[in-house]
Amino acid sequence: MRVIIVKSYEDIGKEAAKIVKDLIIKKPNAVLGLATGSTPISLYKELIRIHKEEGLDFSKVITFNLDEYYGLSGGHPQSYRYFMDENLFNGINIKKENTHVPDGTIPIDKIEEYCKKYEEMIKQAGGIDLQILGIGGDGHIAFNEPGSSIYSRTRLVALDEQTIKDNSRFFEKIEDVPRFALTMGVGTILEAKEIILLANGIKKAEVVAKAIEGPITSQITASALQLHPKVTAILDEEAASKLKRKKYYKFAHQAEEKINLRIF
Ligand code: GLP
């Protein structure tokens, strides 16, 4: 895994945006996999800036979001559809019909069929070129809680107590946090051609070290990223502080900059 350690949260956004921008310039109809949560906000701000100031064109870009709370409609201010509209889509020239966020209002007896269709749509679009990921406090990617199989696909999941607690900061009270979600599986995510994992702050340090340097285990679903050939983790100093090979990652990144090549 390629690991880039930057000074600040804003720098995470800038570094990740460079990768997204390069891709869209090379492939204007790129398929992006997108994440929610507080972590990718600096990336989305930077993409909006690049669109407005440098004219980066999103008109042909297609997006698929990782997950959605089950029971929330897209108009709910805590839904991930609402989050994406507010934090990215409304600030760029993407076509709304090219943006996909799982529908949290699908009736229970239609969920299996819906999840299969979501995966089909990703395939029909040509697969995800670049997947953006954050990491949950329990090491989850998307809503793949500890115990999710590395082969798991898009499905309905029950949220872990820690996730409900962590995400309750966005809701008025903890009872308002949905108990279930629709999420891409770990297997779905690993099919992306390239992945960027973002993390900031001391609260993520331990779990980031486990995901990057620990054993591959379904108890830390982000550790499955070690199986993927093209992952870049972009971390601030705090999130990187528990990594054992910090010096090596810094050296490798400096070397990359010198030869102007990404080394995975
Ligand atoms: C939620 C999302 C994840 C995200 C995680 C971390 O659980 N489903 O995709 O990575 O939150 O959130 P934050 O970035 O706010 O720490």
Side-chain angles (χ1 to χ4, degrees):
M1 194 182 304
R2 184 171 170 246
V3 179
I4 300 177
I5 302 168
V6 295
K7 283 260 166 301
S8 68
Y9 173 63
E10 281 66 37
D11 290 342
I12 293 178
K14 283 188 190 139
E15 202 64 44
K18 275 192 226 160
I19 300 176
V20 178
K21 179 183 158 184
D22 284 354
L23 171 69
I24 296 176
I25 289 173
K26 237 190 282 158
K27 187 177 177 189
N29 60 345
V31 181
L32 301 180
L34 299 177
T36 52
S38 45
T39 312
I41 291 179
S42 65
L43 162 63
Y44 297 155
K45 279 209 173 108
E46 179 65 5
L47 289 177
I48 293 172
R49 187 199 66 74
I50 295 176
H51 164 68
K52 296 212 159 114
E53 291 175 15
E54 300 171 23
L56 185 66
D57 180 16
F58 288 83
S59 64
K60 294 196 181 78
V61 170
I62 299 170
T63 66
F64 287 91
N65 262 77
L66 287 168
D67 47 10
E68 179 61 283
Y69 288 117
Y70 187 59
L72 299 193
S73 72
H76 190 290
Q78 298 313 330
S79 73
Y80 285 168
R81 158 55 74 182
Y82 194 93
F83 174 99
M84 289 311 302
D85 287 348
E86 287 287 298
N87 288 291
L88 181 64
F89 300 150
N90 292 345
I92 56 178
N93 67 329
I94 197 161
K95 293 199 178 99
K96 275 289 163 69
E97 64 268 28
N98 286 349
T99 68
H100 307 87
V101 181
D103 181 354
T105 66
I106 289 295
I108 203 86
D109 59 322
K110 296 263 168 17
I111 283 181
E112 254 187 70
E113 187 190 327
Y114 177 79
C115 291
K116 266 194 199 134
K117 206 180 106 202
Y118 200 71
E119 298 244 351
E120 267 310 303
M121 287 197 300
I122 296 174
K123 280 204 185 101
Q124 270 165 21
I128 290 171
D129 291 304
L130 179 64
Q131 175 66 59
I132 311 296
L133 294 175
I135 181 168
D138 60 7
H140 70 228
I141 44 176
F143 269 133
N144 292 288
E145 298 289 27
S148 299
S149 162
I150 283 171
Y151 295 106
S152 53
R153 310 301 309 184
T154 302
R155 69 206 186 285
L156 180 71
V157 292
L159 300 180
D160 214 78
E161 272 314 303
Q162 185 178 339
T163 301
I164 291 170
K165 230 187 265 161
D166 287 351
N167 291 1
S168 66
R169 68 187 193 277
F170 301 112
F171 291 80
E172 237 171 68
K173 45 187 188 326
I174 194 158
E175 293 74 35
D176 294 343
V177 185
R179 263 41 189 168
F180 298 91
L182 292 175
T183 182
M184 278 189 206
V186 180
T188 324
I189 293 168
L190 289 179
E191 280 170 10
K193 290 164 200 139
E194 179 170 359
I195 298 175
I196 309 181
L197 174 70
L198 310 175
N200 68 292
I202 197 72
K203 269 172 71 184
K204 297 282 171 74
E206 198 126 350
V207 86
V208 160
K210 284 184 183 160
I212 295 177
E213 294 178 335
I216 297 168
T217 165
S218 66
Q219 297 308 306
I220 304 281
T221 51
S223 67
L225 298 175
Q226 294 175 35
L227 294 169
H228 192 285
K230 217 173 173 193
V231 178
T232 302
I234 307 176
L235 315 168
D236 70 357
E237 300 270 357
E238 287 189 359
S241 61
K242 298 248 160 83
L243 289 171
K244 290 201 186 78
R245 302 179 68 228
K246 229 164 54 180
K247 256 196 179 155
Y248 166 75
Y249 304 129
K250 285 192 176 163
F251 162 76
H253 187 48
Q254 280 163 3
E256 273 187 2
E257 284 183 334
K258 246 189 224 155
I259 59 174
N260 203 15
L261 186 78
R262 285 155 71 187
I263 316 168
F264 285 92

PDB file of all heavy atoms in Angstrom, residues 35-40 66-67 80 133-136 140-143 163 167 169-170 204, ligand 1:
ATOM      1  N   ALA A  35     -17.539   8.476  -0.766  1.00  0.00           N
ATOM      2  CA  ALA A  35     -17.809   8.186   0.644  1.00  0.00           C
ATOM      3  C   ALA A  35     -18.382   9.423   1.324  1.00  0.00           C
ATOM      4  O   ALA A  35     -18.206  10.549   0.847  1.00  0.00           O
ATOM      5  CB  ALA A  35     -16.499   7.799   1.329  1.00  0.00           C
ATOM      6  N   THR A  36     -19.029   9.193   2.438  1.00  0.00           N
ATOM      7  CA  THR A  36     -19.541  10.308   3.245  1.00  0.00           C
ATOM      8  C   THR A  36     -18.739  10.361   4.550  1.00  0.00           C
ATOM      9  O   THR A  36     -17.683   9.762   4.656  1.00  0.00           O
ATOM     10  CB  THR A  36     -21.034  10.100   3.531  1.00  0.00           C
ATOM     11  OG1 THR A  36     -21.182   8.793   4.083  1.00  0.00           O
ATOM     12  CG2 THR A  36     -21.856  10.222   2.260  1.00  0.00           C
ATOM     13  N   GLY A  37     -19.252  11.084   5.549  1.00  0.00           N
ATOM     14  CA  GLY A  37     -18.526  11.258   6.809  1.00  0.00           C
ATOM     15  C   GLY A  37     -17.765  12.564   6.775  1.00  0.00           C
ATOM     16  O   GLY A  37     -17.710  13.237   5.726  1.00  0.00           O
ATOM     17  N   SER A  38     -17.159  12.929   7.902  1.00  0.00           N
ATOM     18  CA  SER A  38     -16.467  14.220   7.944  1.00  0.00           C
ATOM     19  C   SER A  38     -15.139  14.180   7.187  1.00  0.00           C
ATOM     20  O   SER A  38     -14.686  15.206   6.667  1.00  0.00           O
ATOM     21  CB  SER A  38     -16.244  14.652   9.390  1.00  0.00           C
ATOM     22  OG  SER A  38     -15.772  13.564  10.142  1.00  0.00           O
ATOM     23  N   THR A  39     -14.519  13.002   7.066  1.00  0.00           N
ATOM     24  CA  THR A  39     -13.180  12.913   6.473  1.00  0.00           C
ATOM     25  C   THR A  39     -13.100  13.433   5.030  1.00  0.00           C
ATOM     26  O   THR A  39     -12.207  14.233   4.731  1.00  0.00           O
ATOM     27  CB  THR A  39     -12.651  11.465   6.554  1.00  0.00           C
ATOM     28  OG1 THR A  39     -12.844  10.994   7.885  1.00  0.00           O
ATOM     29  CG2 THR A  39     -11.185  11.390   6.184  1.00  0.00           C
ATOM     30  N   PRO A  40     -13.978  13.019   4.109  1.00  0.00           N
ATOM     31  CA  PRO A  40     -13.772  13.459   2.713  1.00  0.00           C
ATOM     32  C   PRO A  40     -14.204  14.894   2.429  1.00  0.00           C
ATOM     33  O   PRO A  40     -14.073  15.358   1.286  1.00  0.00           O
ATOM     34  CB  PRO A  40     -14.614  12.469   1.896  1.00  0.00           C
ATOM     35  CG  PRO A  40     -15.610  11.909   2.834  1.00  0.00           C
ATOM     36  CD  PRO A  40     -15.095  12.057   4.223  1.00  0.00           C
ATOM     37  N   LEU A  66     -21.034   4.706  -1.504  1.00  0.00           N
ATOM     38  CA  LEU A  66     -20.834   3.433  -0.805  1.00  0.00           C
ATOM     39  C   LEU A  66     -22.074   2.936  -0.089  1.00  0.00           C
ATOM     40  O   LEU A  66     -22.337   1.744  -0.037  1.00  0.00           O
ATOM     41  CB  LEU A  66     -19.760   3.629   0.281  1.00  0.00           C
ATOM     42  CG  LEU A  66     -18.322   3.785  -0.164  1.00  0.00           C
ATOM     43  CD1 LEU A  66     -17.480   4.269   1.018  1.00  0.00           C
ATOM     44  CD2 LEU A  66     -17.795   2.457  -0.679  1.00  0.00           C
ATOM     45  N   ASP A  67     -22.815   3.883   0.530  1.00  0.00           N
ATOM     46  CA  ASP A  67     -23.810   3.405   1.489  1.00  0.00           C
ATOM     47  C   ASP A  67     -24.895   4.445   1.775  1.00  0.00           C
ATOM     48  O   ASP A  67     -24.790   5.612   1.345  1.00  0.00           O
ATOM     49  CB  ASP A  67     -23.125   2.974   2.802  1.00  0.00           C
ATOM     50  CG  ASP A  67     -22.103   4.002   3.309  1.00  0.00           C
ATOM     51  OD1 ASP A  67     -22.052   5.127   2.771  1.00  0.00           O
ATOM     52  OD2 ASP A  67     -21.344   3.671   4.234  1.00  0.00           O
ATOM     53  N   TYR A  80     -27.322  10.237   3.357  1.00  0.00           N
ATOM     54  CA  TYR A  80     -26.071  10.393   2.617  1.00  0.00           C
ATOM     55  C   TYR A  80     -26.313  11.033   1.247  1.00  0.00           C
ATOM     56  O   TYR A  80     -25.432  11.693   0.702  1.00  0.00           O
ATOM     57  CB  TYR A  80     -25.351   9.052   2.514  1.00  0.00           C
ATOM     58  CG  TYR A  80     -24.686   8.642   3.828  1.00  0.00           C
ATOM     59  CD1 TYR A  80     -24.189   7.358   4.004  1.00  0.00           C
ATOM     60  CD2 TYR A  80     -24.539   9.544   4.880  1.00  0.00           C
ATOM     61  CE1 TYR A  80     -23.559   6.993   5.193  1.00  0.00           C
ATOM     62  CE2 TYR A  80     -23.916   9.190   6.075  1.00  0.00           C
ATOM     63  CZ  TYR A  80     -23.425   7.911   6.226  1.00  0.00           C
ATOM     64  OH  TYR A  80     -22.801   7.545   7.395  1.00  0.00           O
ATOM     65  N   LEU A 133     -12.405   6.298   0.209  1.00  0.00           N
ATOM     66  CA  LEU A 133     -12.857   5.679   1.458  1.00  0.00           C
ATOM     67  C   LEU A 133     -12.421   6.481   2.671  1.00  0.00           C
ATOM     68  O   LEU A 133     -11.317   7.032   2.693  1.00  0.00           O
ATOM     69  CB  LEU A 133     -12.255   4.276   1.619  1.00  0.00           C
ATOM     70  CG  LEU A 133     -12.653   3.170   0.656  1.00  0.00           C
ATOM     71  CD1 LEU A 133     -11.822   1.922   0.975  1.00  0.00           C
ATOM     72  CD2 LEU A 133     -14.139   2.861   0.770  1.00  0.00           C
ATOM     73  N   GLY A 134     -13.280   6.498   3.692  1.00  0.00           N
ATOM     74  CA  GLY A 134     -12.862   6.912   5.025  1.00  0.00           C
ATOM     75  C   GLY A 134     -12.728   5.630   5.838  1.00  0.00           C
ATOM     76  O   GLY A 134     -12.839   4.527   5.298  1.00  0.00           O
ATOM     77  N   ILE A 135     -12.510   5.775   7.123  1.00  0.00           N
ATOM     78  CA  ILE A 135     -12.444   4.581   7.980  1.00  0.00           C
ATOM     79  C   ILE A 135     -13.211   4.871   9.273  1.00  0.00           C
ATOM     80  O   ILE A 135     -13.069   5.948   9.863  1.00  0.00           O
ATOM     81  CB  ILE A 135     -10.963   4.160   8.237  1.00  0.00           C
ATOM     82  CG1 ILE A 135     -10.887   2.896   9.117  1.00  0.00           C
ATOM     83  CG2 ILE A 135     -10.144   5.291   8.851  1.00  0.00           C
ATOM     84  CD1 ILE A 135      -9.498   2.265   9.166  1.00  0.00           C
ATOM     85  N   GLY A 136     -14.040   3.935   9.676  1.00  0.00           N
ATOM     86  CA  GLY A 136     -14.807   4.112  10.905  1.00  0.00           C
ATOM     87  C   GLY A 136     -13.945   3.825  12.125  1.00  0.00           C
ATOM     88  O   GLY A 136     -12.869   3.225  12.012  1.00  0.00           O
ATOM     89  N   HIS A 140     -14.181   0.020  10.093  1.00  0.00           N
ATOM     90  CA  HIS A 140     -15.038  -0.313   8.949  1.00  0.00           C
ATOM     91  C   HIS A 140     -14.770   0.567   7.735  1.00  0.00           C
ATOM     92  O   HIS A 140     -14.345   1.706   7.857  1.00  0.00           O
ATOM     93  CB  HIS A 140     -16.531  -0.312   9.323  1.00  0.00           C
ATOM     94  CG  HIS A 140     -17.133   1.020   9.623  1.00  0.00           C
ATOM     95  ND1 HIS A 140     -17.913   1.251  10.726  1.00  0.00           N
ATOM     96  CD2 HIS A 140     -17.107   2.199   8.944  1.00  0.00           C
ATOM     97  CE1 HIS A 140     -18.334   2.499  10.705  1.00  0.00           C
ATOM     98  NE2 HIS A 140     -17.859   3.095   9.642  1.00  0.00           N
ATOM     99  N   ILE A 141     -15.012   0.002   6.557  1.00  0.00           N
ATOM    100  CA  ILE A 141     -15.072   0.783   5.323  1.00  0.00           C
ATOM    101  C   ILE A 141     -16.507   0.675   4.837  1.00  0.00           C
ATOM    102  O   ILE A 141     -17.121  -0.382   4.955  1.00  0.00           O
ATOM    103  CB  ILE A 141     -14.048   0.299   4.263  1.00  0.00           C
ATOM    104  CG1 ILE A 141     -14.014  -1.222   4.133  1.00  0.00           C
ATOM    105  CG2 ILE A 141     -12.671   0.848   4.575  1.00  0.00           C
ATOM    106  CD1 ILE A 141     -13.099  -1.751   3.031  1.00  0.00           C
ATOM    107  N   ALA A 142     -17.035   1.769   4.291  1.00  0.00           N
ATOM    108  CA  ALA A 142     -18.479   1.903   4.008  1.00  0.00           C
ATOM    109  C   ALA A 142     -19.183   1.572   5.324  1.00  0.00           C
ATOM    110  O   ALA A 142     -18.828   2.133   6.368  1.00  0.00           O
ATOM    111  CB  ALA A 142     -18.905   1.014   2.861  1.00  0.00           C
ATOM    112  N   PHE A 143     -20.145   0.645   5.319  1.00  0.00           N
ATOM    113  CA  PHE A 143     -20.731   0.225   6.600  1.00  0.00           C
ATOM    114  C   PHE A 143     -20.454  -1.258   6.834  1.00  0.00           C
ATOM    115  O   PHE A 143     -21.280  -1.981   7.374  1.00  0.00           O
ATOM    116  CB  PHE A 143     -22.232   0.507   6.627  1.00  0.00           C
ATOM    117  CG  PHE A 143     -22.594   1.855   7.181  1.00  0.00           C
ATOM    118  CD1 PHE A 143     -23.506   2.683   6.542  1.00  0.00           C
ATOM    119  CD2 PHE A 143     -22.041   2.310   8.381  1.00  0.00           C
ATOM    120  CE1 PHE A 143     -23.854   3.933   7.057  1.00  0.00           C
ATOM    121  CE2 PHE A 143     -22.380   3.560   8.899  1.00  0.00           C
ATOM    122  CZ  PHE A 143     -23.287   4.369   8.242  1.00  0.00           C
ATOM    123  N   THR A 163     -20.471   2.410  15.975  1.00  0.00           N
ATOM    124  CA  THR A 163     -20.797   3.242  14.806  1.00  0.00           C
ATOM    125  C   THR A 163     -21.986   4.150  15.121  1.00  0.00           C
ATOM    126  O   THR A 163     -21.989   5.335  14.778  1.00  0.00           O
ATOM    127  CB  THR A 163     -21.119   2.332  13.599  1.00  0.00           C
ATOM    128  OG1 THR A 163     -19.974   1.511  13.353  1.00  0.00           O
ATOM    129  CG2 THR A 163     -21.457   3.121  12.365  1.00  0.00           C
ATOM    130  N   ASN A 167     -21.616   8.112  15.043  1.00  0.00           N
ATOM    131  CA  ASN A 167     -22.397   8.894  14.077  1.00  0.00           C
ATOM    132  C   ASN A 167     -23.527   9.689  14.721  1.00  0.00           C
ATOM    133  O   ASN A 167     -24.167  10.501  14.063  1.00  0.00           O
ATOM    134  CB  ASN A 167     -22.929   7.982  12.972  1.00  0.00           C
ATOM    135  CG  ASN A 167     -21.803   7.473  12.079  1.00  0.00           C
ATOM    136  OD1 ASN A 167     -20.644   7.794  12.304  1.00  0.00           O
ATOM    137  ND2 ASN A 167     -22.140   6.683  11.083  1.00  0.00           N
ATOM    138  N   ARG A 169     -23.240  12.075  16.564  1.00  0.00           N
ATOM    139  CA  ARG A 169     -22.912  13.508  16.613  1.00  0.00           C
ATOM    140  C   ARG A 169     -23.618  14.304  15.521  1.00  0.00           C
ATOM    141  O   ARG A 169     -23.763  15.512  15.626  1.00  0.00           O
ATOM    142  CB  ARG A 169     -21.393  13.721  16.575  1.00  0.00           C
ATOM    143  CG  ARG A 169     -20.721  13.350  15.269  1.00  0.00           C
ATOM    144  CD  ARG A 169     -19.196  13.441  15.440  1.00  0.00           C
ATOM    145  NE  ARG A 169     -18.473  13.393  14.198  1.00  0.00           N
ATOM    146  CZ  ARG A 169     -18.155  12.280  13.543  1.00  0.00           C
ATOM    147  NH1 ARG A 169     -18.543  11.108  14.030  1.00  0.00           N
ATOM    148  NH2 ARG A 169     -17.464  12.329  12.429  1.00  0.00           N
ATOM    149  N   PHE A 170     -24.052  13.629  14.480  1.00  0.00           N
ATOM    150  CA  PHE A 170     -24.755  14.318  13.402  1.00  0.00           C
ATOM    151  C   PHE A 170     -26.270  14.390  13.628  1.00  0.00           C
ATOM    152  O   PHE A 170     -26.989  15.049  12.892  1.00  0.00           O
ATOM    153  CB  PHE A 170     -24.489  13.625  12.066  1.00  0.00           C
ATOM    154  CG  PHE A 170     -23.022  13.577  11.702  1.00  0.00           C
ATOM    155  CD1 PHE A 170     -22.333  12.361  11.680  1.00  0.00           C
ATOM    156  CD2 PHE A 170     -22.331  14.741  11.397  1.00  0.00           C
ATOM    157  CE1 PHE A 170     -20.977  12.318  11.352  1.00  0.00           C
ATOM    158  CE2 PHE A 170     -20.978  14.703  11.069  1.00  0.00           C
ATOM    159  CZ  PHE A 170     -20.301  13.492  11.053  1.00  0.00           C
ATOM    160  N   LYS A 204      -8.217   8.262  14.998  1.00  0.00           N
ATOM    161  CA  LYS A 204      -8.137   7.200  13.992  1.00  0.00           C
ATOM    162  C   LYS A 204      -6.775   6.485  14.019  1.00  0.00           C
ATOM    163  O   LYS A 204      -6.585   5.501  13.301  1.00  0.00           O
ATOM    164  CB  LYS A 204      -8.382   7.774  12.594  1.00  0.00           C
ATOM    165  CG  LYS A 204      -9.767   8.372  12.391  1.00  0.00           C
ATOM    166  CD  LYS A 204     -10.820   7.315  12.172  1.00  0.00           C
ATOM    167  CE  LYS A 204     -12.239   7.856  12.188  1.00  0.00           C
ATOM    168  NZ  LYS A 204     -12.596   8.599  10.998  1.00  0.00           N
TER     169      LYS A 204
HETATM  170  C1  GLP B   1     -19.589   6.288   8.320  1.00  0.00           C
HETATM  171  C2  GLP B   1     -19.512   5.945   6.844  1.00  0.00           C
HETATM  172  C3  GLP B   1     -18.116   5.564   6.435  1.00  0.00           C
HETATM  173  C4  GLP B   1     -17.107   6.573   6.973  1.00  0.00           C
HETATM  174  C5  GLP B   1     -17.195   6.606   8.472  1.00  0.00           C
HETATM  175  C6  GLP B   1     -16.173   7.535   9.116  1.00  0.00           C
HETATM  176  O1  GLP B   1     -19.738   5.178   9.125  1.00  0.00           O
HETATM  177  N1  GLP B   1     -20.403   4.901   6.490  1.00  0.00           N
HETATM  178  O2  GLP B   1     -18.042   5.477   5.018  1.00  0.00           O
HETATM  179  O3  GLP B   1     -15.817   6.249   6.545  1.00  0.00           O
HETATM  180  O4  GLP B   1     -18.500   7.051   8.803  1.00  0.00           O
HETATM  181  O5  GLP B   1     -16.704   8.794   9.331  1.00  0.00           O
HETATM  182  P1  GLP B   1     -15.855  10.087   9.629  1.00  0.00           P
HETATM  183  O6  GLP B   1     -15.175  10.421   8.359  1.00  0.00           O
HETATM  184  O7  GLP B   1     -16.868  11.127  10.013  1.00  0.00           O
HETATM  185  O8  GLP B   1     -14.908   9.760  10.718  1.00  0.00           O
END
